[in-house]
Each structure stands twice: as C-alpha cells, then as structure tokens.
Amino acid sequence: MAKLIINEENKLGTIAPEIYGHFSEHLGRCIYEGIYVGEHSDIPNVNGMRIDVVEALKELQVPVLRWPGGCFADEYHWKDGIGPKEKRKKMINTHWGGVVEDNSFGTHEFMELCRQIGCKTYINGNLGSGTVQEMSEWVEYMTFNGVSPMAELREKNGSREPWKVDFFGVGNENWGCGGNMTPEYYGNEYRRYQTYVRNYDPNQPIAKVCCGASADDYHWTEGVLKTCYDHTPGDLHGFMDYLSLHYYVVPEGWEMKGSSTDFSEEAWYKTLSKALYMETLIKGHAAIMDQYDPVKKIGMSVDEWGTWYTCEPGTNPGFLYQQNTVRDALVAGITLNIFNKHCDRVRMAALAQMVNVLQSVLLTEGDQMIKTPTYHVMHMYRHHQGATLLESSLTNVEPVGPDEWVVPKVTESVSENEQGIITITLNNLSVESVEKVEVQFARSGYQVVEAHIVSDADMHAHNTFEAPETVTEKVFAGYEVEPHGLNVTLPCNSVVEIRVAR
Ligand code: AHR
C-alpha cells in the first residue's frame, strides 16, 4: 500500500491560477466553428461566440487565454483583423491546412471572448515577420486611454474604452516557425521589441513573456538569458516577466505520432512516461533560470503542453483534430500535479489547445459540443487555482509498466484554499490494478467535503457525439475516514480529487 504523508503545517507557496490557462490558435476548427461562429449563425451565440462553448469554459474557471498562436502569431498582422468584417483582408493560413483566413475573428472579438469567459488576456505578438512598429502600435491600440492615432482607430472601430492586456508574448517558437533564430539573435530581438511594449497605464502593467525553449533545448534557455542579462542593470523585472517552455507528449515520435484511440498497453505507459518527463524539463530549465534569477522574479510559462497524436482519419492533417481518452485524462492529471509542485517557478501554463485541436477540453460538430476526459480533469483540478501548495510526499509507490517505460503507480499534489479546505489530487497510472493509498495528515479530525473521479476500466474509453457521457466526472466513494487521515482505493486508470476540512 502506498502512503501519502501531508504536512499541512508546511506551506510551500501559491499555485498561480494562470497555471490552469488555455491556448486558442487560428488553427483548424479551434477559433472558427469551435468558438466563433459569427453573429448570423444558426448556432446559438452571443456576439458570434458559441453559447455552449462559453458556458462550458465558464464552468472550468479558465483563468487566462492565449491567442492568436502559436506559429500563426508570427505571421499574423493585427490590422488585418480590425474594422468592418466585409473589408477585412483574406489570407492563406500557410501553417495550418492552407485554408482561407478571413480575419473575421480579430482583436475586438478576442477581447469579447475573454469578457464572456471572464478570463485574463494573453496576446502573442509577431516578432518573426512583423515590425517593432506593428507590435508597438498593437499595444497602443489595445491599451492606450487618451488621444493617439491608435486609440482613435480603436474608437472608430467601436471600442472607446481600452482593454486590459494581462500578458504579452514577444514572439512564439522563434527557434523554429517564428523565424528560425539562434538564441543570441532572438535574445537581442527580444530586448528591442519588448522596449516598445509600453505600459500606457502604470496601474495595469503588461507582463511580458519571452520565447523559451522547446522540450530539452537548454542551449536556447542559456543563450537567451545570457543575452538578455548582458548589459542590463539589476534584475529583469518589467523587461521579462515570464520565460516560456513548450513540450508536447508525442507517443511514437514526430514521424509516427500514434493513434489517439487505438493504442497498446505499452503505448499507454510510454505516453504517461513522456508526460512525467515534464518534471525533468521544468527542473532543467529552472536550474538555468536560477543562475540568472535566483530570487525567481521570472516565472516559467509552459504555454503549450499536451498530447499530440496522428490526426483523426479522414480529417485535414493540418487541422490537428484528435480524440481524447482516459489516457489524456491521466496526462492532464500527471502534468497538473507536476505544475502544482513546481509553483515556485511555474506560474503560467496553457493546454494546447482549447477546442477541436490537439488535447482539447471541448470538441464540436455543427451545433453539438462534447466535453472530453481532459475537460473533466481540469474541472476537478480548478480547486487548486490560487490555493497554497502543501508539503506532501508518497512512499512505497510501486513501479508499473514495461521496463523502458516504467512509471510510478501513483502521483499526487495537495493544496489548501483560504477557507482551509484541502484538495488532494491523486492519479493511478496502472491499467490493470487498483491501488490503496493511506493518507496521513499532521493534524487530526478531517472530514471529506467532496470527492470526484474521472476514470474508466477501459483505457480507450472516450466521449463521442453519439455517447457524450462515457467518461465524466463522477462522485467518488472509494475512501474511509480515519482519525489521522484517509484510506483511499484508487481504481486503475483514474484521476481522483478528494477535498477535506476540519
Ligand atoms: O499548437 C500547435 C503548434 O505547436 C503551435 O502553433 C506551435 O507554437 C507549436 O509548434
């Protein structure tokens, strides 16, 4: 039996709500169809945004949304997406499927979407193919409250009041699709571009996100930080607030990728082992950040994470549409537990992507919408948002899986909110056996407030438009309360949340 020891006297820091963020790119059917259907659509909408999707996202308590890309961001020219829709420029989305982008979803629409969801805004600027002036004018357009050419243009387009830009990414994947730059070259470009991302309202400073590495490219992290710290007095506060990291779980590698629904037990463990690798990556990049920024002023923003499979048969390969099974629920549970445990450095993240692309929380088909297993995990885990991470550790955890892809059977994280409610999230990674976990608190007298589970004995289980409720969040009763803790029985393939209070 595994043992989870929780020391609620030792509070380790705040879990930034933004760790539970999302990403929406002009890619496939994420924005168009998935979120935005236009004001004249038969699909029920408010100002063009699907009501079903917005309602589901509100229930998730989405803290922040990143837009417009991704690779799309470094080819996006924001002025194409403002003004009367019929006059907006049409372009080819060269990265994603070669389809026509009519720019009907632009800055005003994104701000409206965030207003409806009630989340913070994370705009990703174009450094790869855009100019400093273009980036600087976008910031002026969105945030300046006064008399200026861009503020007047915004008013002419229907928004007298400026918006709040909470986070601004200065380029995306500039080591690849964002310009194929070297770390030193990007570091210098970052220095220049970010200078003109002005804080027009000193009471609402924009947090700047510098483009970080892909996976284990530590050379990039080192080179960018060295360049940015060179000749820069003091710390980089206000110059660089976050450094990003992108990491995808690709079971069979980039050539083959692997099916989202038709996979072997070996592929199950391979996928979960690759998800666990996130912790190694965070530690590796954080160690480099620690050398430059020992007091941790710069947050790590893992603003693209999730599974990447072979797209569904019969769909446009450039649309990255994939199904989502119990395996994805485990990937989400494992990854979010890792983020929680590293909340001293990981202060933002974004699941890729929100609707109809990669490890989505929602899938749509016409006027239908379904929630994926990943949605239900993020819904349970929302209780960690803004809570305090508590010291916790597992002992006596059995290894499971084939030699090359062996994983610990259980992972966990524990937090406490302002009302003193403790949220414990546990995952059983085994496809074949239950696991009993003895949970021991430092104090006694806890009662269970609520408990939920996302699980299915069939590792391939997923939701379809015909059967949308196959894998959902259910009430969990597999525990017994003891004077100093709990005895929990985790079914195989499970993500569990237990909330207790005294
Ligand atoms: O999320 C899909 C793509 O993956 C993004 O556009 C890019 O940033 C990354 O390579």
Side-chain angles (χ1 to χ4, degrees):
M1 185 193 293
K3 185 165 183 177
L4 172 62
I5 301 167
I6 300 171
N7 179 6
E8 57 276 38
E9 314 290 349
N10 193 7
K11 302 184 192 308
L12 300 177
T14 302
I15 298 172
E18 289 78 19
I19 285 178
Y20 289 82
H22 290 260
F23 172 38
S24 59
E25 181 167 10
H26 287 238
L27 196 178
R29 298 186 303 113
C30 180
I31 295 285
Y32 300 111
E33 285 187 44
I35 296 170
Y36 181 76
V37 287
E39 296 81 346
H40 308 297
S41 171
D42 290 341
I43 297 175
N45 70 85
V46 172
N47 298 327
M49 314 299 159
R50 292 179 71 123
I51 292 176
D52 52 356
V53 167
V54 169
E55 285 309 311
L57 295 173
K58 275 159 73 175
E59 282 170 33
L60 265 195
Q61 292 174 13
V62 170
V64 60
L65 182 58
R66 176 172 181 247
W67 173 84
C71 294
F72 183 81
D74 281 286
E75 275 193 294
Y76 182 61
H77 300 286
W78 68 272
K79 283 185 182 165
D80 296 346
I82 56 170
K85 291 198 179 165
E86 60 288 358
K87 289 198 182 144
R88 293 189 193 176
K89 211 184 251 179
K90 293 190 173 40
M91 62 189 268
I92 302 295
N93 190 336
T94 46
H95 271 292
W96 305 120
V99 291
V100 175
E101 160 66 58
D102 70 1
N103 278 303
S104 55
F105 188 96
T107 305
H108 292 248
E109 290 75 22
F110 175 68
M111 292 299 179
E112 169 62 10
L113 172 64
C114 292
R115 185 194 69 74
Q116 290 188 23
I117 298 173
C119 68
K120 290 187 179 176
T121 57
Y122 176 177
I123 297 275
N124 211 111
N126 176 351
L127 178 141
S129 72
T131 63
V132 173
Q133 182 182 0
E134 183 183 2
M135 188 180 284
S136 148
E137 285 185 342
W138 198 8
V139 173
E140 180 189 328
Y141 185 87
M142 292 186 285
T143 62
F144 185 63
N145 191 8
V147 180
S148 85
M150 291 303 114
E152 281 171 22
L153 185 58
R154 182 187 67 235
E155 185 168 355
K156 194 174 138 225
N157 288 329
S159 290
R160 208 176 72 78
E161 297 298 319
W163 299 287
K164 183 159 175 1
V165 173
D166 296 288
F167 306 94
F168 193 92
V170 184
N172 168 73
E173 297 196 351
N174 303 91
W175 37 262
C177 65
N180 287 306
M181 299 171 187
T182 63
E184 291 73 25
Y185 184 83
Y186 171 74
N188 281 315
E189 289 292 87
Y190 177 81
R191 297 174 68 115
R192 187 161 74 109
Y193 275 71
Q194 72 76 31
T195 307
Y196 304 96
V197 175
R198 303 278 188 210
N199 280 324
Y200 289 105
D201 181 349
N203 296 319
Q204 300 197 328
I206 300 170
K208 296 172 190 169
V209 186
C210 176
C211 168
S214 168
D216 61 353
D217 187 356
Y218 301 115
H219 173 68
W220 177 270
T221 302
E222 174 65 44
V224 167
L225 287 178
K226 187 167 184 290
T227 308
C228 288
Y229 272 88
D230 185 25
H231 204 64
T232 309
D235 64 54
L236 294 194
H237 190 57
F239 181 110
M240 183 191 298
D241 302 292
Y242 293 84
L243 181 66
S244 68
L245 169 66
H246 290 180
Y247 173 60
Y248 286 97
V249 171
V250 192
E252 308 299 338
W254 287 106
E255 281 286 300
M256 302 280 291
K257 297 192 189 73
S259 162
S260 64
T261 50
D262 183 12
F263 53 87
S264 63
E265 246 181 61
E266 194 200 14
W268 165 279
Y269 288 112
K270 195 186 283 191
T271 307
L272 301 193
S273 167
K274 289 187 176 191
L276 285 158
Y277 184 55
M278 178 67 89
E279 182 151 42
T280 304
L281 295 175
I282 290 172
K283 285 183 180 164
H285 290 288
I288 300 169
M289 293 173 82
D290 285 349
Q291 288 167 24
Y292 291 90
D293 173 36
V295 290
K296 299 184 171 40
K297 288 208 167 178
I298 303 174
M300 191 185 290
S301 172
V302 191
D303 47 35
E304 286 187 34
W305 69 270
T307 52
W308 192 319
Y309 306 120
T310 307
C311 65
E312 290 309 303
T315 64
N316 184 333
F319 281 14
L320 311 185
Y321 179 76
Q322 64 188 40
Q323 252 295 356
N324 198 296
T325 66
V326 173
R327 179 174 59 159
D328 294 86
L330 265 296
V331 169
I334 290 167
T335 307
L336 294 169
N337 278 343
I338 293 171
F339 290 163
N340 288 345
K341 286 200 171 269
H342 290 275
C343 66
D344 59 330
R345 187 60 93 173
V346 179
R347 297 209 279 272
M348 184 153 66
L351 174 66
Q353 296 194 7
M354 199 154 74
V355 190
N356 291 333
V357 171
L358 301 176
Q359 195 180 342
S360 315
V361 288
L362 300 171
L363 300 175
T364 68
E365 217 173 76
D367 63 356
Q368 287 181 280
M369 180 206 78
I370 58 173
K371 295 171 176 171
T372 66
T374 300
Y375 176 97
H376 296 294
V377 171
M378 291 205 87
H379 187 257
M380 291 194 303
Y381 273 62
R382 77 194 185 287
H383 293 123
H384 285 303
Q385 287 189 31
T388 303
L389 180 74
L390 299 181
E391 184 191 343
S392 64
S393 58
L394 279 163
T395 58
N396 207 22
V397 178
E398 227 184 284
V400 284
D403 281 351
E404 204 190 339
W405 305 109
V406 75
V407 295
K409 194 166 173 187
V410 184
T411 83
E412 54 78 31
S413 69
V414 184
S415 72
E416 182 176 17
N417 73 5
E418 280 177 353
Q419 291 75 46
I421 300 176
I422 293 178
T423 299
I424 305 163
T425 45
L426 288 158
N427 313 140
N428 181 355
L429 282 61
S430 166
V431 276
E432 54 189 12
S433 62
V434 300
E435 179 64 3
K436 288 191 186 302
V437 183
E438 181 193 344
V439 180
Q440 186 191 301
F441 297 102
R443 295 177 293 193
S444 59
Y446 286 98
Q447 296 300 320
V448 172
V449 175
E450 59 176 325
H452 293 99
I453 183 168
V454 175
S455 177
D456 198 291
D458 175 5
M459 65 180 174
H460 304 109
H462 58 279
N463 299 331
T464 63
F465 292 91
E466 294 71 39
E469 307 268 297
T470 306
V471 187
T472 58
E473 181 182 338
K474 299 195 174 78
V475 170
F476 177 64
Y479 60 83
E480 287 145 27
V481 180
E482 302 286 336
H484 274 277
L486 305 165
N487 282 332
V488 182
T489 304
L490 299 174
C492 61
N493 313 339
S494 65
V495 181
V496 166
E497 160 207 56
I498 304 177
R499 306 187 76 216
V500 301
R502 291 192 336 146

